């Protein structure tokens, strides 16, 4: 970034800044009566039988991301993905987001605009409008928090609760890629920090493109939700994979008051993810079981509906089945013995 | 706080922690189908002609508050007040809030619960439900962000836009008290820091009770909004006083494309606020004009409606009138000359 173009936030003024930032809200929805520019965003109602959905995600610098290797527009896209992924996990449609930023001195107007550019790009992909938010100062670290409002017809909403013994446990896409991407970025960052002459962080990541992209610019599964609508299919339960498979299985089985039995060999893991684990001399299943931020969807379906889905949609895998609550969460390992995961959570 | 009772967040676990925190959500609303415990909060729709309102406020430690002198439950109450105040400023009714917290290691579970206790108390006063949110870690400072969803009948919504030349400019309550309270707290804090033996921060603030309370536990003007409904009165424009009178006048006149003429002598300032300014050897009008965080409402009304309001509601003051856009924002000083405030904002 050209140093001459570094404008501080103070020099621009809050009103002008917000106006500039909002230029990146490129998708407009008819129901937005008033977006930014007043105390609240105002939305028209859509009639009876529709539920509103609200979700919220916070990302703090130094905890959830490192600005050394996370481009700001990717950061904006990713936080938006996290917020809309929660809406999709209820079988809903995102509509508007509010963006709260806590901004330290080191962040310029142009850098903030980069964040909004990422959110705006996500808005195009997921068809939401940025409808407002708040800006505050921060001493050292950048904080970003996105709330999303969506809606879903009341008889289509899918909760974590509802899985029945015998239901197939399915996941979209593949698992552990975001964790693999993070390992690569952390290694390159460490390498960069150890150089005496620190150049701009421009490592050659072309060999790791897939996993790095999964870490930096994850995509929420809008396509799957649309497929469900097209097929008039309703999973008995659903959750998005924010924290890793085992953790989310605990959430889902806890809410549904059931157990789960799944197969290590069935875990969908990409070749790229496997090759990172090999290079790192680590167990790739750990990436799949405990690595977070894949933003895939996990859902449960009665057996006969699995075939109906598979006829039209291929990007999902059956990894096991729902069992009785007393069985807990168990995984049959590739070698044949069974691992038990303790401590269900609601 | 007893050191033996200091539980770290890690030791409790996220699921249990959220459950504990949610115990402070003491007000329940019928329309909440699903509060916490799933990916989203789910709300029933209320039929046609109702607008939903969403607002969001972020407070960062060290910028918006100092934990040395801000009790955590007051902090929770205040951030909630800020979020619902935006809903009232549109003539709406708050319904649910989402709470996002970025939490450093120094904050214990009990401390977080204190924050939620404050939010819960605000929930009782303002009749909203805490419907979810997010928790993330933070390196050093506590961040708190509250999003509020409310609603308003579509034909009752009041914007910043709509003020007409000739309308009276009115404010509820009094101005500058929160700024006066902040001055006192900062002085006491400085005094405390300069002591060699730092005891717990327990200064005697009894002489300053009113202004300190206005700073620490401001109250949003639900009572005024209810009064408007009872009287079937609709201001031509409205805004809440978050950033100080002059700043919010710029917002309101900018959105309405009008000017404003008001009287220094008419500014409603409490005796307690005046006595703090005297003690500090400062100009009390600066507190009223530029001091933020009063969370009073500023609104405009045609002259004949002012009387109707005054017959039933006494806690407001006419400070001036709306003028033509070309007049800008002017204040007639007590001595007779006129001050001009430049730079309208939208």
């Amino acid at each position: 970034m050209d140093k001459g173009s570094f404008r501080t936030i103070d020099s621009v003024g809050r009103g002008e800044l917000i106006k500039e930032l909002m230029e990146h809200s490129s998708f407009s929805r008819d129901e937005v009566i008033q977006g930014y520019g007043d105390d609240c965003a105002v939305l028209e109602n859509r009639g009876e039988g529709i539920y509103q959905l609200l979700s919220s995600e916070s990302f703090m610098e130094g905890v959830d991301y490192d600005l050394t290797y996370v481009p700001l527009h990717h950061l904006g896209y990713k936080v938006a993905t996290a917020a809309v992924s929660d809406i999709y996990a209820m079988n809903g449609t995102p509509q508007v987001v509010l963006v709260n930023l806590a901004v330290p001195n080191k962040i310029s107007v142009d850098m903030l605009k980069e964040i909004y550019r990422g959110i705006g790009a996500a808005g195009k992909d997921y068809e939401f409008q940025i409808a407002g938010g708040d800006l505050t100062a921060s001493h050292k670290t950048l904080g970003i928090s996105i709330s999303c409002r969506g809606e879903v017809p009341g008889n289509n909403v899918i909760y974590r609760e509802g899985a029945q013994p015998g239901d197939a446990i399915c996941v979209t896409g593949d698992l552990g890629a975001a964790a693999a991407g993070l390992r690569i970025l952390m290694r390159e960052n460490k390498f960069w920090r150890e150089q005496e002459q620190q150049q701009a962080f421009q490592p050659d990541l072309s060999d790791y493109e897939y996993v790095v992209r999964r870490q930096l610019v994850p995509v929420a599964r809008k396509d799957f939700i649309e497929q469900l609508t097209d097929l008039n299919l309703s999973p008995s339960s659903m959750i998005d994979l924010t924290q890793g498979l085992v953790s989310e299985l605990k959430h889902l089985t806890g809410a549904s008051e059931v157990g789960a039995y799944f197969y290590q060999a069935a875990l969908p893991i990409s070749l790229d993810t496997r090759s990172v684990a090999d290079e790192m001399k680590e167990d790739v299943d750990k990436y799949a079981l405990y690595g977070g931020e894949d933003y895939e969807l996990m859902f449960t379906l009665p057996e006969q509906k699995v075939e109906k889905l598979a006829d039209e949609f291929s990007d999902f895998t059956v990894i096991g089945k729902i069992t009785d609550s007393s069985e807990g969460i168990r995984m049959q390992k590739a070698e044949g013995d069974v691992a038990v995961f303790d401590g269900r959570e609601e």
Side-chain angles (χ1 to χ4, degrees), chain A:
Chain A
M1 199 164 292
D2 176 19
K3 263 205 163 178
S5 72
F6 191 102
R7 293 181 293 159
T8 63
I9 290 165
D10 280 346
S11 75
V12 175
R14 187 191 163 89
E16 182 56 34
L17 172 62
I18 291 176
K19 208 185 293 178
E20 285 195 31
L21 294 176
M22 293 305 297
E23 288 168 11
H24 292 289
S25 175
S26 46
F27 195 89
S28 290
R29 296 197 62 105
D30 289 340
E31 69 263 45
V32 176
I33 294 163
Q34 173 82 21
Y36 73 107
D38 217 303
D39 298 293
C40 289
V42 181
L43 296 115
E44 216 165 7
N45 216 343
R46 286 286 201 84
E48 304 277 345
I50 304 293
Y51 293 169
Q52 278 95 51
L53 301 170
L54 305 170
S55 71
S56 207
E57 292 284 338
S58 283
F59 281 56
M60 290 297 288
E61 181 186 350
V63 176
D64 300 294
Y65 57 90
D66 185 328
L67 288 180
T68 320
Y69 55 79
V70 175
L72 288 165
H73 62 284
H74 286 178
L75 175 64
Y77 193 98
K78 182 170 179 173
V79 184
T81 290
V84 301
S85 181
D86 281 332
I87 302 285
Y88 293 134
M90 314 292 290
N91 202 24
T93 308
Q95 296 173 298
V96 296
V97 301
L98 302 184
V99 181
N100 283 8
L101 286 164
V103 185
N105 275 336
K106 66 181 177 186
I107 301 288
S108 73
V109 171
D110 289 323
M111 291 163 82
L112 275 189
K113 287 172 79 167
E114 278 297 286
I115 296 174
Y116 266 70
R117 186 163 73 84
I119 302 171
K124 273 193 179 165
D125 288 349
Y126 303 125
E127 301 183 352
F128 65 71
Q129 181 168 334
I130 307 173
D134 193 20
L135 274 178
T136 181
S138 170
H139 262 323
K140 290 201 170 155
T141 52
L142 176 69
I144 174 167
S145 156
I146 294 190
S147 301
C148 184
R149 178 194 181 278
E151 66 174 23
V152 57
N155 49 5
N156 289 356
V157 59
I158 301 172
Y159 298 94
R160 295 178 179 181
E161 184 187 335
Q164 299 292 329
D167 286 356
I169 304 170
C170 314
V171 292
T172 60
D174 60 80
L175 303 177
L182 183 61
R183 298 288 287 120
I184 293 295
L185 288 167
M186 286 172 70
R187 185 186 66 180
E188 297 298 316
N189 189 37
K190 184 162 175 283
F191 178 77
W192 174 78
R193 284 183 193 276
E194 285 165 2
Q195 302 305 301
E196 290 204 3
Q197 298 261 323
Q198 294 181 356
Q199 308 292 327
F201 184 64
Q202 286 292 359
D204 180 7
L205 294 173
S206 52
D207 286 349
Y208 309 103
E209 194 191 335
Y210 177 71
V211 295
V212 167
R213 186 159 45 80
R214 288 293 303 261
Q215 168 59 224
L216 292 180
V217 206
V219 177
R221 298 309 302 254
K222 178 173 186 263
D223 60 332
F224 176 68
I225 297 307
E226 291 173 344
Q227 191 63 251
L228 285 182
T229 303
D230 288 351
L231 294 172
N232 196 22
L233 254 182
S234 186
S236 49
S237 71
M238 189 153 62
I239 193 169
D240 72 323
L241 296 175
T242 306
Q243 293 177 49
L245 184 71
V246 171
S247 179
E248 304 297 2
L249 256 181
K250 287 178 181 177
H251 291 140
L252 187 141
T253 55
S256 293
E257 297 182 353
V258 293
Y261 191 92
F262 68 102
Y263 301 88
Q264 184 175 22
L267 296 175
I269 300 171
S270 77
L271 286 178
D272 301 79
T273 303
R274 288 185 191 282
S275 89
V276 169
D278 288 348
E279 198 177 323
M280 298 284 175
K281 297 187 172 56
E282 291 177 326
D283 179 1
V284 74
D285 290 319
K286 292 225 166 107
Y287 293 2
L289 294 171
Y290 303 108
E293 305 194 303
D294 282 322
Y295 298 108
E296 298 292 347
L297 293 168
M298 174 163 64
F299 55 98
T300 57
L301 268 182
E303 290 284 358
Q304 70 276 16
K305 290 188 178 172
V306 172
E307 278 178 43
K308 185 175 172 190
L309 177 60
D311 286 346
E312 300 293 332
F313 187 82
S314 60
D315 193 21
F316 80 101
T317 309
V318 177
I319 62 165
K321 66 177 180 207
I322 294 295
T323 57
D324 193 75
S325 170
S326 60
E327 307 279 321
I329 298 176
R330 288 156 189 269
M331 177 179 78
Q332 186 176 313
K333 294 193 191 173
E335 310 94 61
D337 51 334
V338 171
V340 179
F341 299 94
D342 283 330
R344 264 173 300 150
E345 296 171 22
E346 278 189 38

